[in-house]
Amino acid sequence: MALNREWHLLHRLPGTAKLEERLDWHLAHAANCGCREMPESIRKELEARGLVAVTPRSLR
């Protein structure tokens, strides 16, 4: 899937983001943009918390 440029321009992840902010950002990113896969470390942390990322691909 292509980059959702508008979403990325409006939702920048700061380099100093804490883990909670990173998890929230990556969940929102997965739901709104399919430009890349979620990092393994983020995916594993979400799974450990019992959360599943909804992606545009999983909605098909």
Side-chain angles (χ1 to χ4, degrees), residues 3-55:
L3 172 78
N4 182 341
R5 183 172 171 76
E6 183 178 337
W7 188 90
H8 274 275
L9 290 173
L10 295 172
H11 300 90
R12 298 215 180 256
L13 179 63
T16 59
K18 305 257 188 277
L19 179 59
E20 295 300 321
E21 294 170 304
R22 291 174 45 83
L23 295 174
D24 289 343
W25 187 92
H26 280 285
L27 282 170
H29 180 257
N32 291 284
C33 185
C35 69
R36 61 188 165 113
E37 294 294 322
M38 189 177 291
E40 182 80 12
S41 60
I42 296 294
R43 187 183 56 75
K44 285 183 177 182
E45 182 63 29
L46 290 171
E47 287 176 359
R49 295 172 182 221
L51 299 172
V52 177
V54 175
T55 65

